[in-house]
Amino acid sequence: MDGMESFAALVARYRVIFFDAYGVLKNARGVMQGVPELLSWIIRQGKDVFVITNDASRSPTQMAAAYTHPEYGVLIPASRNISSGLLAKDFLRSKVRAGKVAYLGKPSSAFYIESAGLTPVHINNCSSTEDVAAIALLDDEGFDWFRDINLTLNLMRRVNAPVVVANPDLAYPVGDDEVGLAVGSLAGMLERIVGKSFIRFGKPDTMMFSHAFACAHDNLPELKKSDILMVGDTLETDILGANTFGLDTALVLSGNTRPEQARMMIQAKGITPTYLCESVFT
Amino acid sequence: MDGMESFAALVARYRVIFFDAYGVLKNARGVMQGVPELLSWIIRQGKDVFVITNDASRSPTQMAAAYTHPEYGVLIPASRNISSGLLAKDFLRSKVRAGKVAYLGKPSSAFYIESAGLTPVHINNCSSTEDVAAIALLDDEGFDWFRDINLTLNLMRRVNAPVVVANPDLAYPVGDDEVGLAVGSLAGMLERIVGKSFIRFGKPDTMMFSHAFACAHDNLPELKKSDILMVGDTLETDILGANTFGLDTALVLSGNTRPEQARMMIQAKGITPTYLCESVFT
Amino acid sequence: MDGMESFAALVARYRVIFFDAYGVLKNARGVMQGVPELLSWIIRQGKDVFVITNDASRSPTQMAAAYTHPEYGVLIPASRNISSGLLAKDFLRSKVRAGKVAYLGKPSSAFYIESAGLTPVHINNCSSTEDVAAIALLDDEGFDWFRDINLTLNLMRRVNAPVVVANPDLAYPVGDDEVGLAVGSLAGMLERIVGKSFIRFGKPDTMMFSHAFACAHDNLPELKKSDILMVGDTLETDILGANTFGLDTALVLSGNTRPEQARMMIQAKGITPTYLCESVFT
Amino acid sequence: MDGMESFAALVARYRVIFFDAYGVLKNARGVMQGVPELLSWIIRQGKDVFVITNDASRSPTQMAAAYTHPEYGVLIPASRNISSGLLAKDFLRSKVRAGKVAYLGKPSSAFYIESAGLTPVHINNCSSTEDVAAIALLDDEGFDWFRDINLTLNLMRRVNAPVVVANPDLAYPVGDDEVGLAVGSLAGMLERIVGKSFIRFGKPDTMMFSHAFACAHDNLPELKKSDILMVGDTLETDILGANTFGLDTALVLSGNTRPEQARMMIQAKGITPTYLCESVFT
């Protein structure tokens, strides 16, 4: 990591590109202008592309629908939108198996509970604690914070059920140098009060990288970790996680990490990307 | 600390009694039934009584008004209601001196900013960051959590001003085995995101005990720490703080610490009160 | 998880068994008496067996040598001893590539650095900071704590190199209700002082489970996660990690978790194993 | 806090000066050259001088002996060397009262246990847990780290006694841009493993400032907090603590805070001193 690199030049050196979504391909207004053209250009060069995102606010099909091109259609199919919601779903299916799951999040988050064969109940409709088999913290929107965070706290004190956090992020960019507080921050606050260990899914844990690597490997049996580039905007999740998993990494400065602070933060935190790029449009 | 003690019997052994408010003298519905009679009985025996409370939601005069007796009138005057809000006020007056203080809390919390000679501005009315001299987290009520916690987070990222937390509690009892999330939890969450050190006032820091001891000592020049009993319902604040300051302590089980868990929590946390009492009415 | 289960009865229900080493198969004096017989009995029933261990103090070959049977020879080959040291080695090979790695640990720990093609230098011989490409915290033995922990702290402040922690455990059982402080505790202490993010390998991160699952899957293409049982003695690593990865789990009470505390700790921490067994010999 | 100030010019504006010791008046080789002349110059102007130090490695008398002038003799008497050890002693005397105190530290640290009327036993001589009334972490020297930190950990798991930490510092300057790990770091590591709340004495808690203010006030009844300047080298202890107590503060760059990092750290941590000085010799 010396100077700024051109992202287009980097792409040429790798066989598979993993992208974080928010701050890289998307911002508060949706998919950034130029992203469909960029993705189709990468794909036409024969590269495989995945999205690796800490997000449980919508289904993989909804995620895939965001990346479409007028000519080429859906660019990243649902099966290549690997989300922390998906890992939470796998956990609920394999470890919880039956019953109601009380959740915090938008109605579209409930997809991950339903598709695990369980019954989602919004925390505000959770009148009885009797058959709550798990509690899921999915998204920071879709509920009244004062009422529902307090309801969640009291539910956690009363039922002995696993707590699943489907997005460990602390904050996310919402545009014009504003951030929004993510559900991972709410989870950390509640965990500290109740003193239990929640089960977190998402970067920097390496499980999404393993999952995406296995998918990519099925398609490309010769694939090695060194053939993959992870592109992200957040040091503590995208870069730390991909470093731990053994991938090369590019930090882009279009999201959580501001250009004037990037080098200072890299040094202060000791998390070093392989490359620095202003954005994916360079 | 062996068995349960009668609180009335304990009172006889001390010269000065320090009471926590919530969970000891008050609950979610206000001052507990019987408290005015109890306090007047203690005072008529010649004991000095203080309230030491992590609370910045109302002024000392409002606090004092809560403890009145039909016959004896105000039992604990404003000057003996020592609150974390008072320490925050002293800090603002001595260290901030001029300008606007953006705050989270009820309008009655703003008392502590005004009486420091500063201008309180509710976070939701804080349109410009220009002249914000400090940010004060005072209470968990009086604002829209989603909108105003996010506003506070972004304000903290933009202005370089001290952040004052006038109540470090994580949660407080709101009745019938329900708790409410206190502003100290919100402060911890924000502190972790922005990575700065907030300035906390309240137990377990010993500053309120020093303050109350100095007041009591002015009145009773022979007073020693061993003449004082601190009565509280929370191990991590009331008991840890008073232990550190060197006072004897009674843990009452009418608030944050539930009777069936008391001994397990004392052992698990390693915070040991001198005495255990069911409540102040024993 | 209701009553105590017989471990032998559990084995019958699974196709693959993952074992933690310390507190399950080993104690302070080495492999527990009866373990070679138990393992050979399990293997003769056609089960696949892996060891999943937070340990970077010796090579997989040395680990394998511990589990031998007079008649059947090596029971768990080196390739099925999946250790956090192995993950650290993979990281060093893929992300560091060249140079010296300053390490804390026994000389046998240096195996993981050498086999990554790098040059191990014991922290006490690290006279120059010039070409230190990484710092590796491998084991709690093999160095003078006062001298070498202070040397490590100062090296971390001076060089801008990744810090690898090859065992995140806080403590490990050393026999007769004594524990030893593990290198993960030293790492947490140093990380807090220098304020950087270290790169941790080992449970509860799911990477070792992914790795072992991929190995097992190569051999048994039909294998599902529900065919695997993870057996461990520590809630925060073995059970939390395997729960997160989606495996069934058995907590044994022969190591870090003491029988009289097991149920209280499960409830207090909110980490729930599928089964409870006194030991693997039941 | 704009530019660098001359310390001599600052002194003129205050009535009482509180000094931190390490990194301000002392370094690894003892009292810095020129300090006796500086202190006597300040005292001859009629200022009152106190040392406020997180240190329990020697007695107040030994501390006082360090600040002597060939002509004027002892400059800061024992009664004005306010140490965290002193607070620990007061706690032990008032709250522990009788029995053995197992300690980590140099023999000279044991002064604080003896002068509380208790029996100090070095952790390495603590053969029985029977009558251990408290455990005291006093200093980072005077013991074999590997053996005695492990002994302490196991003792803490076995006895239900308060743990006193008489120096909460993480590290301290030992000269030529080297630091030494302080006993506060060891305490934090042990606290995390055993899961209990230790009782910490020292800055940034305000108790030493209260103590010193009360001493100063006895001598100068008109003294206000705004008449006092606290001089320190560490943001998180000296400056945060004195800010919280309401004193003006000068950060000197001769110790823990390096000149090239001072402004960045002030901004990053949000702890702002009133003044910045290169050292006390400016």
Side-chain angles (χ1 to χ4, degrees):
Chain A
M1 194 204 75
D2 297 304
M4 285 281 173
E5 304 270 344
S6 147
F7 180 69
L10 284 185
V11 164
R13 302 186 213 160
Y14 293 88
R15 182 70 191 80
V16 173
I17 314 289
F18 288 177
F19 285 104
D20 176 41
Y22 275 89
V24 178
L25 302 178
K26 288 176 162 186
N27 61 22
R29 287 172 297 279
V31 167
M32 293 177 195
Q33 210 181 353
V35 159
E37 293 69 25
L38 174 74
L39 292 175
S40 59
W41 174 81
I42 295 173
I43 292 164
R44 275 179 286 133
Q45 291 176 68
K47 314 291 182 187
D48 280 19
V49 170
F50 289 77
V51 169
I52 313 276
T53 178
N54 284 357
D55 187 352
S57 71
R58 72 203 76 201
S59 72
T61 307
Q62 287 173 305
M63 287 178 186
Y67 309 106
T68 55
H69 186 274
E71 190 177 341
Y72 304 100
V74 167
L75 296 164
I76 308 180
S79 64
R80 294 192 172 190
N81 276 273
I82 314 295
S83 73
S84 51
L86 220 59
L87 301 186
K89 183 198 76 177
D90 287 349
F91 171 83
L92 291 170
R93 187 164 49 194
S94 71
K95 298 292 296 176
V96 175
R97 289 169 189 165
K100 288 185 193 164
V101 178
Y103 77 98
L104 272 187
K106 288 196 282 278
S108 55
S109 316
F111 162 84
Y112 292 102
I113 299 169
E114 276 163 5
S115 64
L118 299 162
T119 306
V121 184
H122 191 283
I123 197 85
N124 187 38
N125 298 324
C126 195
S127 54
S128 150
T129 63
E130 263 176 53
D131 45 3
V132 171
I135 299 170
L137 307 182
L138 301 177
D139 195 21
D140 63 293
E141 293 187 72
F143 55 94
D144 179 307
W145 276 30
F146 177 72
R147 182 193 65 196
D148 293 344
I149 294 173
N150 274 302
L151 281 173
T152 306
L153 169 59
N154 283 293
L155 184 64
M156 286 172 175
R157 294 171 70 241
R158 267 198 290 269
V159 306
N160 208 7
V163 179
V164 169
V165 182
N167 178 350
D169 288 359
L170 297 181
Y172 57 98
V174 298
D176 294 340
D177 193 23
E178 295 271 318
V179 299
L181 204 146
V183 74
S185 282
L186 300 178
M189 176 175 70
L190 290 165
E191 199 172 24
R192 194 174 157 212
I193 305 175
V194 298
K196 297 197 174 177
S197 297
F198 296 176
I199 302 171
R200 282 179 164 71
F201 296 97
K203 300 166 279 184
D205 183 278
T206 59
M207 206 165 161
M208 275 202 281
F209 296 109
S210 288
H211 195 96
F213 181 73
C215 292
H217 196 265
D218 281 351
N219 199 33
L220 301 163
E222 304 297 309
L223 189 73
K224 298 190 304 292
K225 287 185 180 179
S226 56
D227 298 325
I228 303 175
L229 178 69
M230 170 70 198
V231 187
D233 71 319
T234 309
L235 287 169
E236 298 91 336
T237 56
D238 301 317
I239 306 305
L240 178 58
N243 273 353
T244 306
F245 190 67
L247 305 182
D248 281 355
T249 52
L251 180 75
V252 293
L253 306 178
S254 48
N256 267 327
T257 308
R258 296 160 65 182
E260 70 276 17
Q261 300 186 316
R263 285 175 197 282
M264 191 197 80
M265 287 176 68
I266 288 167
Q267 175 132 15
K269 299 189 176 176
I271 306 173
T272 309
T274 320
Y275 313 104
L276 261 186
C277 300
E278 267 185 49
S279 76
V280 293
F281 305 112
T282 57
Chain B
M1 193 205 75
D2 298 305
M4 285 283 174
E5 304 270 343
S6 147
F7 180 70
L10 284 186
V11 164
R13 302 187 213 158
Y14 294 88
R15 183 68 193 80
V16 173
I17 315 290
F18 288 176
F19 285 104
D20 177 40
Y22 274 89
V24 178
L25 302 178
K26 289 177 161 186
N27 61 22
R29 288 173 295 281
V31 167
M32 294 177 194
Q33 212 180 351
V35 159
E37 292 70 25
L38 174 74
L39 291 175
S40 59
W41 174 80
I42 295 173
I43 292 164
R44 275 178 286 135
Q45 291 176 70
K47 313 290 182 186
D48 280 19
V49 171
F50 289 77
V51 169
I52 314 276
T53 179
N54 284 357
D55 187 352
S57 71
R58 71 204 75 202
S59 71
T61 307
Q62 289 174 305
M63 289 178 186
Y67 308 107
T68 54
H69 186 275
E71 189 177 342
Y72 305 100
V74 167
L75 297 163
I76 308 179
S79 64
R80 294 192 172 189
N81 276 274
I82 314 294
S83 73
S84 51
L86 220 58
L87 301 186
K89 183 199 77 177
D90 287 349
F91 172 82
L92 290 169
R93 187 164 48 196
S94 71
K95 298 292 295 177
V96 175
R97 290 167 187 167
K100 289 184 191 164
V101 178
Y103 76 97
L104 272 187
K106 288 197 281 277
S108 55
S109 315
F111 162 84
Y112 292 102
I113 299 170
E114 276 163 6
S115 65
L118 298 162
T119 308
V121 184
H122 191 282
I123 197 85
N124 187 38
N125 298 324
C126 194
S127 54
S128 151
T129 64
E130 262 176 55
D131 45 2
V132 171
I135 299 171
L137 308 182
L138 300 177
D139 195 22
D140 64 293
E141 293 188 72
F143 55 94
D144 179 307
W145 276 30
F146 178 72
R147 182 192 66 196
D148 293 343
I149 295 174
N150 273 302
L151 281 173
T152 306
L153 169 60
N154 284 292
L155 183 64
M156 285 172 175
R157 293 171 70 241
R158 266 199 290 270
V159 306
N160 208 7
V163 179
V164 168
V165 183
N167 179 349
D169 288 359
L170 297 182
Y172 58 99
V174 298
D176 294 339
D177 193 24
E178 295 271 318
V179 299
L181 205 146
V183 74
S185 283
L186 301 178
M189 176 174 70
L190 290 164
E191 198 173 26
R192 192 173 157 214
I193 305 175
V194 299
K196 298 197 175 177
S197 297
F198 296 176
I199 301 171
R200 283 179 164 70
F201 296 97
K203 302 166 278 185
D205 183 278
T206 58
M207 207 165 158
M208 274 202 283
F209 296 109
S210 288
H211 195 97
F213 180 73
C215 291
H217 196 265
D218 281 351
N219 199 32
L220 300 163
E222 304 296 308
L223 189 74
K224 297 189 305 292
K225 287 185 180 180
S226 56
D227 297 325
I228 304 176
L229 178 68
M230 170 70 200
V231 187
D233 71 321
T234 310
L235 287 169
E236 299 89 335
T237 54
D238 301 318
I239 306 305
L240 178 58
N243 274 352
T244 306
F245 189 67
L247 304 182
D248 281 356
T249 52
L251 181 75
V252 293
L253 306 178
S254 48
N256 268 326
T257 307
R258 297 160 64 184
E260 70 275 18
Q261 299 186 317
R263 285 175 197 281
M264 191 198 78
M265 286 176 68
I266 288 167
Q267 176 133 13
K269 300 190 176 176
I271 306 172
T272 309
T274 320
Y275 312 104
L276 262 184
C277 300
E278 267 185 52
S279 76
V280 294
F281 304 112
T282 57
Chain C
M1 193 206 75
D2 298 304
M4 284 283 174
E5 305 269 344
S6 146
F7 181 70
L10 283 186
V11 164
R13 303 186 214 160
Y14 293 88
R15 183 68 193 79
V16 174
I17 314 289
F18 289 176
F19 285 104
D20 177 41
Y22 275 89
V24 178
L25 303 178
K26 289 178 161 184
N27 61 23
R29 286 172 297 280
V31 167
M32 293 178 196
Q33 210 180 354
V35 159
E37 293 69 25
L38 174 75
L39 291 175
S40 59
W41 175 80
I42 295 173
I43 291 164
R44 275 179 284 134
Q45 290 175 70
K47 314 289 183 188
D48 281 19
V49 171
F50 290 76
V51 169
I52 314 276
T53 179
N54 284 356
D55 186 352
S57 71
R58 70 203 79 200
S59 73
T61 307
Q62 288 174 304
M63 289 178 186
Y67 308 107
T68 53
H69 186 275
E71 188 177 343
Y72 304 100
V74 168
L75 297 163
I76 307 178
S79 64
R80 295 192 171 190
N81 277 274
I82 315 294
S83 73
S84 51
L86 221 57
L87 301 185
K89 183 200 76 178
D90 287 349
F91 171 83
L92 291 170
R93 187 163 49 193
S94 71
K95 299 292 295 176
V96 175
R97 289 166 190 166
K100 289 184 192 165
V101 179
Y103 76 98
L104 273 188
K106 287 197 282 276
S108 56
S109 316
F111 163 83
Y112 292 101
I113 298 170
E114 275 163 6
S115 65
L118 299 162
T119 308
V121 184
H122 192 282
I123 197 83
N124 188 38
N125 299 325
C126 195
S127 55
S128 149
T129 65
E130 263 176 52
D131 45 1
V132 171
I135 299 171
L137 308 182
L138 301 176
D139 196 21
D140 62 294
E141 294 187 72
F143 54 95
D144 179 308
W145 278 29
F146 178 72
R147 181 192 66 195
D148 293 344
I149 295 173
N150 273 305
L151 281 173
T152 306
L153 169 59
N154 283 293
L155 183 63
M156 287 173 174
R157 294 172 70 242
R158 267 199 290 270
V159 306
N160 208 7
V163 178
V164 169
V165 182
N167 179 349
D169 288 359
L170 297 182
Y172 57 99
V174 298
D176 293 339
D177 193 23
E178 294 272 319
V179 299
L181 205 147
V183 74
S185 283
L186 300 178
M189 176 175 70
L190 289 164
E191 198 172 25
R192 194 174 157 214
I193 305 175
V194 298
K196 299 198 175 177
S197 297
F198 296 176
I199 302 171
R200 283 181 163 70
F201 296 97
K203 302 167 277 182
D205 184 279
T206 59
M207 208 163 158
M208 274 202 282
F209 296 109
S210 288
H211 195 96
F213 181 73
C215 291
H217 196 265
D218 281 351
N219 199 33
L220 300 163
E222 304 296 307
L223 189 73
K224 297 190 304 295
K225 288 186 180 178
S226 56
D227 298 325
I228 304 174
L229 178 69
M230 171 70 200
V231 187
D233 71 320
T234 309
L235 288 169
E236 298 90 336
T237 55
D238 300 319
I239 306 304
L240 178 58
N243 274 353
T244 305
F245 189 68
L247 305 182
D248 282 355
T249 51
L251 181 74
V252 293
L253 306 179
S254 47
N256 267 325
T257 308
R258 297 159 64 181
E260 71 275 18
Q261 300 187 316
R263 285 174 196 282
M264 190 198 80
M265 286 176 69
I266 288 167
Q267 176 133 12
K269 299 190 176 176
I271 306 172
T272 309
T274 320
Y275 312 104
L276 262 186
C277 301
E278 266 185 52
S279 76
V280 294
F281 304 111
T282 58
Chain D
M1 192 205 77
D2 297 304
M4 285 282 174
E5 305 269 344
S6 147
F7 180 70
L10 284 185
V11 164
R13 303 187 214 159
Y14 293 88
R15 182 70 191 78
V16 173
I17 314 289
F18 288 178
F19 285 104
D20 177 41
Y22 274 89
V24 177
L25 303 179
K26 289 178 162 184
N27 61 23
R29 286 173 297 280
V31 167
M32 294 178 195
Q33 208 180 355
V35 159
E37 292 71 25
L38 174 75
L39 292 175
S40 59
W41 175 81
I42 294 173
I43 291 164
R44 275 178 285 135
Q45 291 176 69
K47 314 289 181 185
D48 280 19
V49 171
F50 289 76
V51 169
I52 314 276
T53 179
N54 283 356
D55 186 353
S57 70
R58 73 203 75 201
S59 73
T61 307
Q62 287 173 305
M63 289 178 186
Y67 308 107
T68 53
H69 186 275
E71 188 176 344
Y72 304 100
V74 168
L75 296 163
I76 308 180
S79 65
R80 295 194 170 188
N81 277 274
I82 314 294
S83 73
S84 51
L86 219 59
L87 301 185
K89 183 200 75 178
D90 287 349
F91 171 83
L92 291 170
R93 186 164 49 193
S94 70
K95 299 291 295 176
V96 175
R97 289 165 189 166
K100 288 185 193 166
V101 178
Y103 76 98
L104 273 187
K106 287 197 282 278
S108 55
S109 315
F111 162 83
Y112 292 101
I113 299 169
E114 276 162 6
S115 64
L118 298 162
T119 308
V121 184
H122 192 282
I123 197 83
N124 188 39
N125 298 326
C126 194
S127 55
S128 150
T129 64
E130 262 176 55
D131 45 2
V132 171
I135 299 171
L137 308 182
L138 301 177
D139 195 21
D140 63 293
E141 293 187 73
F143 55 93
D144 178 309
W145 276 30
F146 178 72
R147 181 193 65 195
D148 293 343
I149 294 173
N150 274 303
L151 281 173
T152 306
L153 169 59
N154 283 293
L155 183 64
M156 285 173 175
R157 294 172 70 241
R158 266 198 291 270
V159 306
N160 207 9
V163 179
V164 169
V165 182
N167 179 351
D169 288 359
L170 298 181
Y172 57 98
V174 297
D176 294 339
D177 193 24
E178 295 272 318
V179 299
L181 206 147
V183 75
S185 283
L186 300 177
M189 177 174 71
L190 290 165
E191 198 173 24
R192 194 174 156 212
I193 305 175
V194 297
K196 299 197 175 176
S197 297
F198 296 175
I199 301 171
R200 283 179 164 70
F201 296 97
K203 302 167 278 183
D205 183 279
T206 58
M207 206 163 160
M208 273 201 283
F209 296 109
S210 288
H211 195 96
F213 181 73
C215 291
H217 195 266
D218 281 351
N219 199 32
L220 300 163
E222 304 296 308
L223 189 74
K224 298 190 303 294
K225 287 186 181 180
S226 56
D227 297 326
I228 303 175
L229 179 69
M230 170 70 198
V231 187
D233 71 321
T234 309
L235 286 169
E236 299 89 337
T237 54
D238 301 317
I239 307 303
L240 178 58
N243 274 351
T244 305
F245 190 67
L247 305 183
D248 282 355
T249 52
L251 180 75
V252 293
L253 306 178
S254 47
N256 267 325
T257 308
R258 295 159 65 183
E260 69 276 18
Q261 300 187 315
R263 286 174 196 280
M264 191 197 80
M265 286 177 69
I266 288 168
Q267 175 133 14
K269 299 190 176 175
I271 307 172
T272 309
T274 320
Y275 312 104
L276 262 185
C277 301
E278 266 185 51
S279 76
V280 293
F281 304 113
T282 57

